[in-house]
Amino acid sequence: MEFFIVMDIERNFRPYESDAPSDIIDIGAVKIEAASMKVMDTFSSFVKPNASISRHTTKLTGITKDDVKGAERFPQVLARFRKFVGEDVIFVTWGKEDYAFMEADCRKYGLSFPMKQRFDLQRFIFNAYEEVFPQQPNLKLATEQLGLIWEGEQHRALSDAINTANLLMLAAKQKDLSKVYKRTIPFVLVKDAKLTDKGRKTVKRWVFKAMKRKEFRKLSWSDFLASKTWVLIEEQYEFDEIAMKLIEAYFPVAWKKSKQQLEVLAQQKKDANASISTTLHSDTSHQQ
């Protein structure tokens, strides 16, 4: 691997259901030479969306319709970005969302943009600096907590990419980027060889997530250990034998509570859909 490509994306989003597409509107990236961990180049480009810029997008990013008016469409910008990226690279992002945004816009235009080697710096920082971050930090908080100074505007692609790159270069000096760091299970979850109240709530939340993915099917302990939810948990935490026995012992209770919660949510959704259907039927009847 020759370069790290530290990438950030901003999109035209709406925090409500809409037929308008959530297109990418800003791509920023920093190219870092892996051998020296020095910045070699940067990339920044607005992207012209297929729908008007939403008020929510402008409020968060500061990007307006005038900023993207003269911008190229996604296929043209992607072609330039592909040239910037080159070959033999690892993509670095803060979290995983940006990959999904890039893949979604590629599908819209029938394009491909391989991003096989990926590095989630947010998860790495959270796990490698366990003593600093009790909760998974956002980019701004991680920058401040690790003694760096924020550069540029927040929620602008190049600025976010630059600050992510600064954290990557700092982590390369202080930690081993090739090592898989795991957090020890927090002391507050287990005390005196028992799950604490917070521990029970945490296990129940994990089980709920796994059950939600399986859509009400009976979830056994072995199913839970094989679930994507547990795989992600194990990537973050290291469990000793006592902790595992406590989690397994509490699993049936967590399963029962999660099942009840899912049933309530399903009924609420059913009632809401019925209410909408009734309202639409009533409006149609009045029009007739």
Side-chain angles (χ1 to χ4, degrees), residues 49 151 156 187 206-207 216 225 242 256 274:
E151 296 185 33
R156 292 296 290 268
F187 180 73
W206 293 341
V207 174
F216 285 88
L225 294 182
I242 293 175
K256 184 177 180 180

Side-chain angles (χ1 to χ4, degrees), residues 2 5 7 9 16 31 66-67 76 82 125 139 172 182 185 191 198 206 219 240 255 278 283:
E2 189 175 0
I5 302 296
M7 177 181 73
I9 286 171
Y16 50 81
K31 178 180 280 190
D66 291 333
D67 291 323
Q76 288 73 44
R82 190 192 301 272
I125 293 290
L139 179 58
K182 289 188 178 183
I185 187 166
K191 188 175 182 180
K198 183 174 181 179
W206 293 341
L219 183 76
D240 60 22
W255 178 87
T278 301
D283 290 343

Side-chain angles (χ1 to χ4, degrees), residues 80-97:
R80 288 193 290 109
F81 186 49
R82 190 192 301 272
K83 188 175 181 181
F84 165 84
V85 169
E87 304 291 336
D88 196 20
V89 303
I90 290 181
F91 286 90
V92 179
T93 55
W94 190 259
K96 297 180 179 180
E97 284 188 330

Side-chain angles (χ1 to χ4, degrees), residues 100-273:
F101 300 153
M102 180 67 81
E103 289 166 354
D105 276 32
C106 282
R107 285 195 298 271
K108 289 177 190 175
Y109 292 94
L111 302 171
S112 64
F113 185 63
M115 295 177 287
K116 293 181 179 179
Q117 295 195 75
R118 305 176 179 185
F119 187 81
D120 182 353
L121 186 62
Q122 184 183 39
R123 173 163 287 178
F124 180 87
I125 293 290
F126 178 54
N127 292 340
Y129 292 88
E130 179 179 5
E131 69 286 356
V132 180
F133 302 109
Q135 304 292 333
Q136 188 158 273
N138 60 36
L139 179 58
K140 186 77 178 292
L141 178 62
T143 299
E144 294 171 347
Q145 290 292 97
L146 292 179
L148 299 177
I149 297 174
W150 182 268
E151 296 185 33
E153 300 175 69
Q154 196 174 5
H155 299 301
R156 292 296 290 268
L158 181 57
S159 293
D160 284 3
I162 287 171
N163 287 285
T164 303
N166 289 341
L167 283 169
L168 177 70
M169 291 185 286
L170 177 68
K173 293 177 182 177
Q174 299 179 343
K175 305 289 182 178
D176 182 356
L177 295 181
S178 65
K179 181 178 176 179
V180 178
Y181 290 89
K182 289 188 178 183
R183 298 172 70 89
T184 56
I185 187 166
F187 180 73
V188 291
L189 300 187
V190 176
K191 188 175 182 180
D192 298 329
K194 294 180 181 179
L195 283 178
T196 62
D197 182 56
K198 183 174 181 179
R200 290 190 292 272
K201 289 179 180 178
T202 300
V203 173
K204 186 260 179 183
R205 186 175 71 250
W206 293 341
V207 174
F208 175 81
K209 286 182 179 179
M211 289 183 69
K212 194 174 181 182
R213 285 196 173 105
K214 291 179 75 64
E215 299 178 347
F216 285 88
R217 284 178 289 171
K218 171 71 175 178
L219 183 76
S220 67
W221 172 246
S222 59
D223 289 336
F224 177 62
L225 294 182
S227 69
K228 183 178 179 180
T229 299
W230 183 253
V231 170
L232 293 174
I233 292 167
E234 280 201 305
E235 287 180 3
Q236 297 183 50
Y237 298 105
E238 190 147 343
F239 300 93
D240 60 22
E241 187 177 351
I242 293 175
M244 286 301 298
K245 287 182 177 179
L246 291 173
I247 294 170
E248 183 177 4
Y250 187 69
F251 176 81
V253 177
W255 178 87
K256 184 177 180 180
K257 290 184 175 182
S258 298
K259 181 174 181 292
Q260 291 171 344
Q261 185 179 351
L262 285 168
E263 288 171 347
V264 169
L265 291 174
Q267 186 60 50
Q268 289 176 345
K269 184 177 180 180
K270 184 178 179 181
D271 292 344
N273 290 337

